[in-house]
Amino acid sequence: MADTAKSITIVGAGLGGALAAVFLGRAGHRVKVYERRPDPRKGASGRGRSINLAISTRGLAALTRVGLDEKILEVAVPMRGRMVHAIDGGLTFQPYGHEAHHVIHSVSRAGLNRLLVETAEVMDNVEVCFGKRCVDVDLEHALGVFTDIDSGATSSVPADLLIGADGAFSEVRLAMQKTDRFEYAQSFLKHGYKELTIPPTATGGFVMGQNALHIWPRGGFMMIALPNVDGSYTCTCFWPFTGENSFSALATREEVRTYFGKTFPDAAPLMPSLEDDFLLNEVGSLVTVRCAPWRFKDRVALLGDAAHAIVPFYGQGANAAFEDCIVLDECLREFGKDTAEALRTYEERRKRHADALADLAIGNFLEMRDKTASKAFRFGKRVEKMLARLFPGRFVPLYYMVTFSRTPYADAVERARAQWRTVFAVVGLAFVTVLVVLAVVAWR
């Protein structure tokens, strides 16, 4: 590896950037990571802006490769399905699958980020620098310009390869957007998100079923809650910014408590800090980003949200970023000194699947928000699971392929459509056959 080792600058020490540093450090590269935020191990993160992660097969595959899967599972809570809360207090459990491994894991974003940073910093060839904002990028020289948040001092850092893992509003991608024929599109949902909290019981227990993702679908908006190992739940409201049933509609403590008591009657009594959480925590935006290319020559590449930010409703944002790390590491190893080909192949192997995931995530928002309370929807899910049991390996529901396998996202969508075409064709043929038989019997 010594003859192909590179000096690599990673902009962003979030989930994708920190895990990329671990992968690339283990591969023998000299890695420096620059993050504008303060060290997450030395203070609290921004109030109410975490959104718990749902780590599944793809994310665990990446963590397994760097020996972190068991550590993560120790501080994760398994979720085996959705617990749907009706407005009258009724509960309906909707399993994610029908086998023991059909489970996703609720993980603290901040806790996972800390573990990844600590793992990266253990390596002699990896350095993580906090409080350093990227203010400019020279693509031709893979050079990042960083300003120290505290002192205001500016430094220029050259490298063989610069990786933009600096999120949906990436400074690295902004520099690439100024190049010829770079394609970029972003779209925001009319909904935002706000984080709330349900604390544990006095003895540290869970006040609701712990092995489920709890969801309060209300048609046009919703609230969800993911369990934490300390017995608490991280709740997230996904509401419109304005109008009826929106964030802007509630301005006082009395309005907040009254509204939640009416709209989420079983949850409101479990939230003693509801008014403070709601009025003090910020409302976040939900954006989808698509761009191309993800690379500049043999010098710059994008990863995670910088390349393909998605809304969080399929629980695949972190999983997709972690899968980026796997593929980028594989391509750099595969092509050695030919970095340009490595980056081209990395984009080729990931781009269309990231675009497919973006569509899936938006579609799942509508499903969670509007359909999970529907009897017809629940019946359709039961039919899917029945077909999966009757024809194992031949009929695999789309959710299974996305969440419980590493089938590339676009391939999963195409296979799911093909499966349903086959099902409808068989059902149609059976129907026609019955009609013919009945006609023959009647004729005789």
Coordinates of all heavy atoms in Angstrom, one line a residue, residues 139-220:
L139 N -10.0 23.3 -6.5 CA -10.2 22.0 -7.0 C -9.0 21.4 -7.7 O -8.7 20.3 -7.6 CB -11.4 22.0 -8.0 CG -12.8 22.4 -7.4 CD1 -13.8 22.4 -8.5 CD2 -13.2 21.4 -6.3
E140 N -8.3 22.3 -8.5 CA -7.2 21.8 -9.3 C -6.1 21.3 -8.4 O -5.3 20.4 -8.8 CB -6.7 22.9 -10.2 CG -7.6 23.3 -11.3 CD -7.6 22.2 -12.4 OE1 -6.8 21.3 -12.4 OE2 -8.4 22.4 -13.3
H141 N -5.9 21.8 -7.2 CA -4.8 21.4 -6.3 C -5.3 20.6 -5.1 O -4.6 20.4 -4.2 CB -4.0 22.6 -5.9 CG -3.4 23.3 -7.1 ND1 -4.0 24.4 -7.7 CD2 -2.2 23.1 -7.7 CE1 -3.2 24.8 -8.7 NE2 -2.1 24.1 -8.7
A142 N -6.6 20.2 -5.1 CA -7.2 19.5 -4.0 C -6.8 20.2 -2.7 O -6.4 19.6 -1.7 CB -6.7 18.0 -3.9
L143 N -7.0 21.5 -2.7 CA -6.6 22.3 -1.6 C -7.8 22.9 -0.9 O -8.7 23.5 -1.5 CB -5.7 23.4 -2.1 CG -5.1 24.4 -1.1 CD1 -3.7 24.8 -1.5 CD2 -6.0 25.7 -0.9
G144 N -7.9 22.8 0.4 CA -8.9 23.4 1.2 C -8.4 24.5 2.0 O -7.3 24.5 2.5
V145 N -9.2 25.6 2.1 CA -8.8 26.8 2.9 C -9.8 26.8 4.1 O -11.0 26.8 4.0 CB -9.0 28.1 2.1 CG1 -8.6 29.3 3.0 CG2 -8.1 28.0 0.9
F146 N -9.2 26.8 5.3 CA -9.9 26.7 6.6 C -9.7 27.9 7.5 O -8.5 28.3 7.6 CB -9.6 25.4 7.3 CG -9.8 24.1 6.5 CD1 -8.8 23.6 5.7 CD2 -11.0 23.5 6.5 CE1 -9.0 22.5 4.9 CE2 -11.3 22.4 5.7 CZ -10.3 21.9 4.9
T147 N -10.7 28.3 8.1 CA -10.6 29.4 9.1 C -10.9 28.8 10.5 O -11.9 28.1 10.7 CB -11.6 30.5 8.8 OG1 -11.3 31.1 7.6 CG2 -11.6 31.6 9.9
D148 N -10.0 29.1 11.4 CA -10.2 28.7 12.8 C -11.3 29.5 13.4 O -11.3 30.8 13.4 CB -8.9 28.9 13.6 CG -9.0 28.4 15.0 OD1 -9.6 29.1 15.9 OD2 -8.6 27.2 15.3
I149 N -12.4 28.8 14.0 CA -13.5 29.5 14.5 C -13.2 30.5 15.6 O -13.7 31.6 15.7 CB -14.6 28.5 15.0 CG1 -15.1 27.6 13.8 CG2 -15.8 29.2 15.6 CD1 -15.8 28.4 12.7
D150 N -12.3 30.1 16.5 CA -11.9 30.9 17.7 C -11.0 32.1 17.3 O -11.2 33.2 17.7 CB -11.3 30.0 18.7 CG -12.3 29.0 19.3 OD1 -13.5 29.3 19.4 OD2 -11.9 27.9 19.7
S151 N -9.9 31.8 16.6 CA -8.9 32.8 16.4 C -9.1 33.6 15.1 O -8.5 34.7 15.0 CB -7.5 32.1 16.4 OG -7.3 31.3 15.2
G152 N -9.8 33.0 14.2 CA -10.0 33.7 12.9 C -8.8 33.4 11.9 O -8.8 33.9 10.8
A153 N -7.8 32.7 12.4 CA -6.6 32.4 11.5 C -7.0 31.5 10.4 O -7.9 30.6 10.5 CB -5.5 31.8 12.4
T154 N -6.4 31.8 9.2 CA -6.7 31.0 8.0 C -5.5 30.2 7.6 O -4.4 30.7 7.6 CB -7.2 31.9 6.9 OG1 -8.4 32.6 7.3 CG2 -7.5 31.1 5.6
S155 N -5.8 28.9 7.2 CA -4.7 28.1 6.7 C -5.1 27.4 5.4 O -6.3 27.1 5.2 CB -4.3 27.0 7.7 OG -5.4 26.2 8.1
S156 N -4.2 27.1 4.5 CA -4.4 26.4 3.3 C -3.8 25.0 3.4 O -2.6 24.9 3.7 CB -3.8 27.2 2.1 OG -4.4 28.4 1.9
V157 N -4.6 24.0 3.1 CA -4.2 22.6 3.3 C -4.2 21.9 1.9 O -5.3 21.5 1.4 CB -5.0 21.9 4.3 CG1 -4.5 20.5 4.5 CG2 -5.1 22.7 5.6
P158 N -3.1 21.6 1.3 CA -3.0 20.9 0.0 C -3.1 19.4 0.3 O -2.7 18.9 1.4 CB -1.7 21.2 -0.6 CG -0.8 21.5 0.6 CD -1.7 22.1 1.7
A159 N -3.5 18.6 -0.7 CA -3.6 17.1 -0.5 C -3.6 16.5 -1.9 O -3.7 17.2 -2.9 CB -4.9 16.7 0.3
D160 N -3.4 15.2 -1.9 CA -3.6 14.4 -3.2 C -5.0 14.3 -3.5 O -5.4 14.2 -4.7 CB -2.9 13.0 -3.0 CG -1.4 13.1 -2.7 OD1 -0.8 14.0 -3.3 OD2 -0.9 12.3 -1.9
L161 N -5.9 14.1 -2.5 CA -7.3 13.9 -2.7 C -8.1 14.7 -1.6 O -7.8 14.6 -0.4 CB -7.6 12.4 -2.6 CG -9.1 12.0 -2.7 CD1 -9.7 12.4 -4.0 CD2 -9.2 10.5 -2.4
L162 N -9.1 15.4 -2.0 CA -10.0 16.1 -1.1 C -11.4 15.5 -1.2 O -11.9 15.3 -2.3 CB -10.1 17.6 -1.6 CG -11.0 18.5 -0.7 CD1 -10.4 18.7 0.7 CD2 -11.2 19.8 -1.4
I163 N -11.9 15.1 0.0 CA -13.2 14.5 0.0 C -14.2 15.4 0.7 O -14.0 15.8 1.9 CB -13.2 13.1 0.8 CG1 -12.3 12.2 0.0 CG2 -14.6 12.6 0.9 CD1 -12.1 10.8 0.7
G164 N -15.3 15.8 0.1 CA -16.3 16.6 0.6 C -17.4 15.7 1.3 O -18.2 15.1 0.7
A165 N -17.3 15.7 2.7 CA -18.3 15.0 3.5 C -19.0 16.0 4.4 O -19.3 15.7 5.5 CB -17.6 13.9 4.2
D166 N -19.2 17.2 3.9 CA -19.6 18.3 4.7 C -21.1 18.7 4.5 O -21.5 19.8 4.7 CB -18.7 19.6 4.4 CG -18.5 19.9 3.0 OD1 -18.7 19.0 2.1 OD2 -18.2 21.0 2.7
G167 N -21.9 17.6 4.3 CA -23.3 17.8 4.4 C -24.1 18.4 3.2 O -23.5 18.6 2.2
A168 N -25.4 18.5 3.4 CA -26.3 18.9 2.4 C -25.9 20.3 1.8 O -26.2 20.6 0.6 CB -27.7 18.9 2.9
F169 N -25.3 21.2 2.5 CA -24.9 22.5 2.0 C -23.4 22.6 2.0 O -22.8 23.5 2.4 CB -25.5 23.6 2.9 CG -27.0 23.4 3.0 CD1 -27.6 22.9 4.2 CD2 -27.8 23.8 2.0 CE1 -29.0 22.7 4.3 CE2 -29.2 23.6 2.1 CZ -29.8 23.1 3.2
S170 N -22.8 21.6 1.3 CA -21.4 21.4 1.2 C -20.6 22.5 0.6 O -21.0 23.0 -0.5 CB -21.1 20.1 0.4 OG -19.8 20.0 0.0
E171 N -19.5 23.0 1.2 CA -18.6 24.0 0.7 C -17.8 23.4 -0.5 O -17.6 24.1 -1.5 CB -17.7 24.5 1.7 CG -16.9 25.8 1.3 CD -17.8 27.0 1.2 OE1 -18.8 27.1 1.9 OE2 -17.4 27.9 0.4
V172 N -17.5 22.1 -0.4 CA -16.7 21.5 -1.5 C -17.6 21.4 -2.7 O -17.2 21.7 -3.8 CB -16.3 20.1 -1.0 CG1 -15.5 19.4 -2.2 CG2 -15.4 20.2 0.2
R173 N -18.9 20.9 -2.5 CA -19.8 20.8 -3.7 C -20.0 22.2 -4.3 O -20.1 22.4 -5.5 CB -21.1 20.2 -3.3 CG -22.0 19.8 -4.5 CD -23.3 19.4 -4.1 NE -24.0 20.5 -3.4 CZ -24.6 20.3 -2.2 NH1 -24.5 19.2 -1.5 NH2 -25.2 21.4 -1.6
L174 N -20.1 23.3 -3.4 CA -20.3 24.6 -4.0 C -19.2 25.0 -4.9 O -19.4 25.6 -6.0 CB -20.3 25.6 -2.8 CG -20.5 27.1 -3.2 CD1 -21.9 27.3 -3.9 CD2 -20.5 28.0 -1.9
A175 N -17.9 24.6 -4.6 CA -16.8 24.9 -5.6 C -17.0 24.1 -6.9 O -16.8 24.6 -7.9 CB -15.5 24.5 -4.9
M176 N -17.5 22.9 -6.8 CA -17.7 22.1 -7.9 C -18.9 22.6 -8.8 O -18.9 22.5 -10.0 CB -18.0 20.6 -7.5 CG -16.8 20.0 -6.9 SD -17.1 18.3 -6.2 CE -17.4 17.4 -7.7
Q177 N -19.9 23.2 -8.1 CA -21.0 23.8 -8.9 C -20.6 24.9 -9.8 O -21.3 25.2 -10.8 CB -22.0 24.3 -7.9 CG -22.8 23.2 -7.2 CD -23.7 23.8 -6.1 OE1 -23.7 23.3 -5.0 NE2 -24.5 24.8 -6.4
K178 N -19.4 25.5 -9.6 CA -18.9 26.6 -10.4 C -18.2 26.1 -11.6 O -17.7 26.9 -12.5 CB -18.0 27.5 -9.6 CG -18.7 28.1 -8.4 CD -17.7 28.9 -7.5 CE -18.4 29.4 -6.3 NZ -17.5 30.1 -5.3
T179 N -18.0 24.8 -11.8 CA -17.3 24.2 -12.9 C -18.3 24.0 -14.1 O -19.6 23.9 -13.8 CB -16.7 22.9 -12.6 OG1 -17.6 21.9 -12.1 CG2 -15.6 23.1 -11.5
D180 N -17.8 23.8 -15.3 CA -18.7 23.7 -16.4 C -19.5 22.4 -16.4 O -19.0 21.3 -16.1 CB -17.8 23.7 -17.7 CG -18.6 23.7 -19.0 OD1 -19.6 24.4 -19.0 OD2 -18.2 23.0 -19.9
R181 N -20.8 22.5 -16.7 CA -21.7 21.4 -16.8 C -22.0 20.6 -15.6 O -22.4 19.4 -15.6 CB -21.3 20.5 -18.0 CG -21.1 21.1 -19.3 CD -20.7 20.2 -20.4 NE -21.8 19.2 -20.6 CZ -21.7 18.1 -21.4 NH1 -20.5 17.9 -22.0 NH2 -22.7 17.3 -21.6
F182 N -21.7 21.2 -14.4 CA -22.1 20.5 -13.2 C -23.6 20.7 -13.0 O -24.2 21.8 -13.1 CB -21.3 21.2 -12.0 CG -21.5 20.4 -10.7 CD1 -20.7 19.4 -10.4 CD2 -22.6 20.7 -9.9 CE1 -20.8 18.7 -9.2 CE2 -22.7 20.1 -8.7 CZ -21.9 19.0 -8.3
E183 N -24.2 19.5 -12.7 CA -25.7 19.5 -12.5 C -26.0 19.5 -11.0 O -25.4 18.7 -10.3 CB -26.3 18.3 -13.2 CG -26.1 18.3 -14.7 CD -26.7 17.0 -15.3 OE1 -27.3 16.2 -14.6 OE2 -26.6 16.9 -16.6
Y184 N -27.0 20.3 -10.6 CA -27.3 20.4 -9.2 C -28.8 20.8 -9.1 O -29.3 21.6 -9.8 CB -26.5 21.5 -8.5 CG -26.9 21.8 -7.1 CD1 -26.6 20.9 -6.1 CD2 -27.6 22.9 -6.8 CE1 -27.0 21.1 -4.8 CE2 -28.0 23.2 -5.5 CZ -27.7 22.3 -4.5 OH -28.2 22.5 -3.2
A185 N -29.4 20.0 -8.2 CA -30.8 20.4 -7.9 C -31.1 20.1 -6.4 O -30.6 19.1 -5.8 CB -31.8 19.5 -8.7
Q186 N -31.9 21.0 -5.8 CA -32.3 20.7 -4.4 C -33.8 21.0 -4.3 O -34.3 21.9 -5.0 CB -31.5 21.6 -3.4 CG -31.8 23.1 -3.5 CD -31.1 23.9 -2.4 OE1 -30.1 23.6 -2.0 NE2 -31.7 25.0 -2.1
S187 N -34.5 20.3 -3.5 CA -35.9 20.5 -3.3 C -36.2 20.3 -1.8 O -35.7 19.4 -1.2 CB -36.7 19.6 -4.1 OG -36.4 18.2 -3.8
F188 N -37.0 21.2 -1.3 CA -37.4 21.2 0.2 C -38.8 20.7 0.3 O -39.7 21.0 -0.5 CB -37.3 22.6 0.8 CG -35.9 23.0 1.0 CD1 -35.2 23.7 0.0 CD2 -35.2 22.8 2.2 CE1 -33.9 24.2 0.2 CE2 -33.9 23.2 2.4 CZ -33.2 23.9 1.4
L189 N -39.1 19.9 1.3 CA -40.4 19.6 1.7 C -41.1 20.8 2.3 O -40.4 21.7 2.9 CB -40.5 18.4 2.7 CG -40.0 17.0 2.2 CD1 -40.3 16.0 3.3 CD2 -40.8 16.6 0.9
K190 N -42.4 20.8 2.2 CA -43.2 21.9 2.9 C -43.2 21.6 4.4 O -43.7 22.5 5.2 CB -44.6 22.0 2.3 CG -44.6 22.4 0.9 CD -46.1 22.5 0.4 CE -46.1 23.0 -1.1 NZ -47.5 23.0 -1.6
H191 N -42.7 20.5 4.8 CA -42.7 20.1 6.2 C -41.2 20.3 6.7 O -40.3 20.2 6.0 CB -43.0 18.6 6.4 CG -44.5 18.3 6.0 ND1 -45.0 18.4 4.8 CD2 -45.5 17.9 6.8 CE1 -46.2 18.1 4.8 NE2 -46.6 17.8 6.0
G192 N -41.2 20.6 8.0 CA -39.9 20.7 8.7 C -39.9 19.7 9.9 O -40.9 18.9 10.0
Y193 N -38.9 19.7 10.7 CA -38.9 18.8 11.9 C -38.5 19.5 13.1 O -37.7 20.4 13.1 CB -38.0 17.6 11.6 CG -36.5 17.9 11.6 CD1 -35.8 17.8 12.8 CD2 -35.9 18.2 10.4 CE1 -34.4 18.0 12.8 CE2 -34.5 18.5 10.5 CZ -33.8 18.4 11.6 OH -32.4 18.7 11.7
K194 N -39.0 19.0 14.2 CA -38.7 19.5 15.5 C -38.6 18.4 16.5 O -39.4 17.5 16.5 CB -39.7 20.5 16.1 CG -39.4 21.2 17.4 CD -40.5 22.0 17.9 CE -40.7 23.3 17.2 NZ -39.7 24.3 17.5
E195 N -37.5 18.4 17.3 CA -37.2 17.3 18.2 C -37.8 17.5 19.6 O -37.7 18.6 20.1 CB -35.7 17.0 18.3 CG -35.4 15.8 19.2 CD -33.9 15.7 19.3 OE1 -33.2 15.4 18.2 OE2 -33.3 15.8 20.4
L196 N -38.4 16.5 20.2 CA -39.0 16.5 21.5 C -38.5 15.3 22.3 O -37.8 14.5 21.7 CB -40.5 16.5 21.5 CG -41.2 17.6 20.6 CD1 -42.7 17.3 20.5 CD2 -40.9 19.0 21.1
T197 N -38.9 15.2 23.6 CA -38.3 14.1 24.4 C -39.4 13.5 25.2 O -40.2 14.2 25.8 CB -37.2 14.6 25.3 OG1 -36.1 15.1 24.5 CG2 -36.6 13.5 26.2
I198 N -39.4 12.2 25.3 CA -40.2 11.4 26.3 C -39.1 10.8 27.3 O -38.3 9.9 26.8 CB -41.0 10.3 25.7 CG1 -42.2 11.0 24.9 CG2 -41.6 9.4 26.8 CD1 -43.1 10.0 24.1
P199 N -39.1 11.2 28.5 CA -38.1 10.7 29.5 C -38.4 9.3 29.9 O -39.6 8.8 29.8 CB -38.1 11.7 30.6 CG -39.5 12.2 30.6 CD -40.0 12.2 29.2
P200 N -37.4 8.6 30.5 CA -37.7 7.2 31.1 C -38.5 7.4 32.4 O -38.7 8.4 32.9 CB -36.3 6.7 31.4 CG -35.5 7.9 31.6 CD -36.0 9.0 30.7
T201 N -38.9 6.2 32.9 CA -39.6 6.2 34.2 C -38.6 6.5 35.3 O -37.4 6.6 35.0 CB -40.2 4.8 34.4 OG1 -39.1 3.9 34.6 CG2 -41.1 4.4 33.3
A202 N -39.1 6.7 36.5 CA -38.2 7.0 37.6 C -37.2 6.0 37.9 O -36.1 6.3 38.4 CB -39.1 7.2 38.9
T203 N -37.5 4.7 37.5 CA -36.5 3.6 37.6 C -35.7 3.3 36.4 O -35.0 2.3 36.3 CB -37.2 2.4 38.1 OG1 -38.2 2.0 37.1 CG2 -37.9 2.6 39.4
G204 N -35.8 4.2 35.4 CA -35.0 4.0 34.1 C -35.6 3.1 33.1 O -34.9 2.7 32.2
G205 N -36.9 2.9 33.2 CA -37.6 2.0 32.3 C -38.2 2.7 31.2 O -38.3 4.0 31.1
F206 N -38.8 2.0 30.2 CA -39.5 2.5 29.1 C -41.0 2.7 29.4 O -41.6 1.8 30.0 CB -39.3 1.6 27.8 CG -37.9 1.5 27.3 CD1 -37.0 0.6 27.7 CD2 -37.5 2.4 26.3 CE1 -35.8 0.5 27.2 CE2 -36.2 2.4 25.8 CZ -35.3 1.4 26.3
V207 N -41.5 3.8 29.0 CA -42.9 4.1 29.2 C -43.8 3.5 28.1 O -45.0 3.5 28.3 CB -43.2 5.6 29.4 CG1 -42.5 6.1 30.6 CG2 -42.8 6.4 28.2
M208 N -43.2 3.1 27.0 CA -43.9 2.5 25.9 C -43.2 1.3 25.5 O -42.0 1.1 25.9 CB -44.1 3.5 24.7 CG -44.7 4.8 25.0 SD -45.0 5.8 23.6 CE -43.3 6.2 23.1
G209 N -43.7 0.5 24.6 CA -43.0 -0.7 24.1 C -41.7 -0.3 23.5 O -41.7 0.6 22.6
Q210 N -40.6 -0.9 23.9 CA -39.3 -0.4 23.6 C -38.8 -0.9 22.2 O -37.9 -0.3 21.6 CB -38.3 -0.8 24.7 CG -38.0 -2.3 24.7 CD -37.2 -2.7 25.9 OE1 -37.7 -2.7 27.0 NE2 -35.9 -3.1 25.7
N211 N -39.3 -2.0 21.7 CA -38.7 -2.6 20.5 C -39.6 -2.2 19.3 O -39.9 -3.1 18.4 CB -38.6 -4.1 20.6 CG -37.7 -4.5 21.7 OD1 -38.0 -5.2 22.7 ND2 -36.4 -4.0 21.7
A212 N -39.9 -0.9 19.2 CA -40.7 -0.5 18.0 C -40.4 1.0 17.8 O -40.0 1.7 18.7 CB -42.2 -0.6 18.3
L213 N -40.6 1.4 16.5 CA -40.6 2.8 16.1 C -42.0 3.2 16.3 O -42.9 2.7 15.6 CB -40.1 2.9 14.7 CG -39.9 4.4 14.2 CD1 -38.9 4.4 13.0 CD2 -41.2 5.0 13.7
H214 N -42.3 4.1 17.2 CA -43.6 4.6 17.5 C -44.0 5.7 16.5 O -43.2 6.6 16.2 CB -43.8 5.1 18.9 CG -43.6 4.0 19.9 ND1 -44.7 3.3 20.5 CD2 -42.5 3.3 20.4 CE1 -44.3 2.4 21.3 NE2 -42.9 2.4 21.3
I215 N -45.2 5.7 16.0 CA -45.6 6.7 15.0 C -47.1 7.1 15.3 O -47.9 6.2 15.5 CB -45.4 6.1 13.6 CG1 -46.0 7.1 12.5 CG2 -46.1 4.8 13.4 CD1 -45.6 6.8 11.1
W216 N -47.3 8.4 15.2 CA -48.6 9.0 15.4 C -49.0 9.6 14.0 O -48.7 10.8 13.8 CB -48.6 10.0 16.5 CG -48.5 9.5 17.9 CD1 -49.5 9.3 18.8 CD2 -47.2 9.1 18.5 NE1 -48.9 8.8 20.0 CE2 -47.6 8.7 19.8 CE3 -45.9 9.1 18.1 CZ2 -46.6 8.3 20.8 CZ3 -44.9 8.6 19.0 CH2 -45.3 8.2 20.3
P217 N -49.5 8.8 13.1 CA -49.9 9.4 11.8 C -51.2 10.2 11.9 O -52.2 9.7 12.4 CB -50.1 8.2 10.9 CG -50.5 7.1 11.8 CD -49.8 7.4 13.2
R218 N -51.2 11.4 11.3 CA -52.4 12.2 11.4 C -52.8 12.8 10.1 O -53.6 13.8 10.1 CB -52.1 13.4 12.5 CG -51.9 12.9 13.9 CD -53.1 12.2 14.5 NE -53.0 11.8 15.8 CZ -52.7 10.5 16.2 NH1 -52.5 9.6 15.3 NH2 -52.6 10.2 17.5
G219 N -52.4 12.2 9.0 CA -52.9 12.6 7.7 C -52.4 14.0 7.4 O -52.9 15.0 7.8
G220 N -51.3 14.1 6.7 CA -50.7 15.4 6.3 C -49.5 15.8 7.3 O -48.8 16.7 7.0

